[in-house]
Amino acid sequence: MALSLGGRTFAPFPVNHSGVFLKAVRSNGLPLFPWRHSPWRRTGNVLDPEMKAFLEENTEVTNRGSLTPEIRLRLLTPRCKFWWQRADLWPYSDPYWAIYWPGGQALSRYLLDNPDVVRGRSVLDLGSGCGATAIAAKMGGASKILANDIDPIAGMAITLNCELNQLNPFPILTKNILDLEQDKWDLVVLGDMFYDEDLADSLHQWLKNCFWTHRTRVLIGDPGRPQFSGHSIQHQLHKVVEYSLPEPTRKENNGLTTSTVWDFRP
């Protein structure tokens, strides 16, 4: 999960990992849209064979240690070699998509437990990462889904994760959606996206436009990052549900213990 703004790429809340993971969560100097001339958008399940093989070889299929054991995902775990190797040996952009962040876990759990929130509705998963929340929306019967992440490799990982869960892949957009004309969505979901003040300001304005223009419902998942809890958006939030995080997720996120789903009502 990553989003670019003003020429910088921001990483979420630091976690306790070594190797590639340390690089993924601390980097903030990646190029803006290095794939600009060939954005990856795929609605089918055809993947580049070499990339597919790389992802399958260097991730683990798991449903353990998260709030959503119903969803299987390809993630980087301690059983993967790049968990331990030097970060500069990872040959692609930092793999934010390979971490199941706690805000996304809370959103996904909520949608699985409350399928009426998405059933028959159009859903945009903003900063989709591994695609778990979009997958939860699909399981709940959403009529239309778009997963948005600026990393094209995230798009490929999302497609693989759909297949793991016996779902037909949904459309994936790897452009910065904040720069595009807004479409109408019944629901926008975003988890773990308020990790930088400038980005938080841009997201806040974009979400307000979404709400007032299209009456879109917005659900936000966050484990209590200071950039979120201290932002002015707090005055426009209503708590939906708070989850206690599983112990493995706590350890990977510097001891964060809970993650909350918020309803944005400007």
Side-chain angles (χ1 to χ4, degrees):
M1 177 272 296
L3 190 72
S4 288
L5 180 70
R8 293 180 294 161
T9 300
F10 299 100
F13 197 88
V15 295
N16 290 322
H17 296 300
S18 57
V20 158
F21 272 85
L22 190 62
K23 178 185 176 188
V25 299
R26 290 185 176 174
S27 172
N28 65 355
L30 297 179
L32 177 65
F33 300 135
W35 54 88
R36 180 181 296 276
H37 299 296
S38 57
W40 188 88
R41 185 171 183 169
R42 191 68 58 84
T43 58
N45 57 4
V46 179
L47 292 174
D48 174 77
E50 183 177 348
M51 177 57 68
K52 182 175 185 289
F54 178 85
L55 294 179
E56 290 177 340
E57 180 182 353
N58 293 290
T59 57
E60 181 187 12
V61 176
T62 181
N63 64 346
R64 299 186 300 273
S66 78
L67 289 171
T68 58
E70 302 95 321
I71 299 177
R72 302 174 73 215
L73 299 168
R74 285 199 168 275
L75 302 173
L76 279 172
T77 74
R79 284 172 286 279
C80 302
K81 68 177 182 180
F82 281 107
W83 178 282
W84 305 105
Q85 290 188 353
R86 294 198 328 267
D88 58 358
L89 295 178
W90 179 262
Y92 303 105
S93 58
D94 294 343
Y96 306 113
W97 54 266
I99 305 170
Y100 193 9
W101 301 95
Q105 289 190 33
L107 279 171
S108 302
R109 181 70 268 157
Y110 178 70
L111 297 186
L112 290 172
D113 290 343
N114 300 274
D116 288 347
V117 173
V118 295
R119 186 177 294 122
R121 292 176 169 86
S122 59
V123 180
L124 168 65
D125 183 12
L126 179 60
S128 190
C130 65
T133 304
I135 287 170
K138 183 79 169 179
M139 289 178 169
S143 59
K144 175 184 177 183
I145 297 172
L146 178 64
N148 171 234
D149 196 291
I150 66 165
D151 188 347
I153 300 176
M156 299 178 194
I158 291 169
T159 296
L160 289 176
N161 288 335
C162 284
E163 294 173 354
L164 281 176
N165 293 280
Q166 291 80 53
L167 298 174
N168 292 326
F170 34 73
I172 300 159
L173 176 67
T174 58
K175 292 182 179 180
N176 190 339
I177 203 167
L178 302 189
D179 294 336
L180 306 179
E181 182 178 350
Q182 285 187 344
D183 290 329
K184 184 181 187 304
W185 298 95
D186 296 321
L187 175 67
V188 172
V189 291
L190 62 159
D192 308 286
M193 293 297 290
F194 285 79
Y195 50 81
D196 174 88
E197 292 180 5
D198 292 338
L199 175 57
D201 290 342
S202 294
L203 283 169
H204 189 196
Q205 185 59 51
W206 191 89
L207 294 172
K208 283 193 293 184
N209 291 342
C210 237
F211 181 90
W212 290 116
T213 303
H214 303 296
R215 307 306 298 181
T216 300
R217 187 181 186 189
V218 177
L219 294 177
I220 301 171
D222 191 89
R225 294 183 180 85
Q227 299 91 331
F228 183 66
S229 58
H231 195 273
S232 60
I233 196 173
Q234 289 292 319
H235 302 297
Q236 300 167 324
L237 297 175
H238 297 260
K239 182 185 286 189
V240 177
V241 63
E242 184 175 9
Y243 296 100
S244 178
L245 292 170
E247 188 60 28
T249 300
R250 295 186 185 196
K251 289 180 179 178
E252 292 175 359
N253 288 272
N254 285 340
L256 292 173
T257 60
T258 64
S259 190
T260 302
V261 176
W262 301 90
D263 198 343
F264 176 58
R265 301 178 189 173

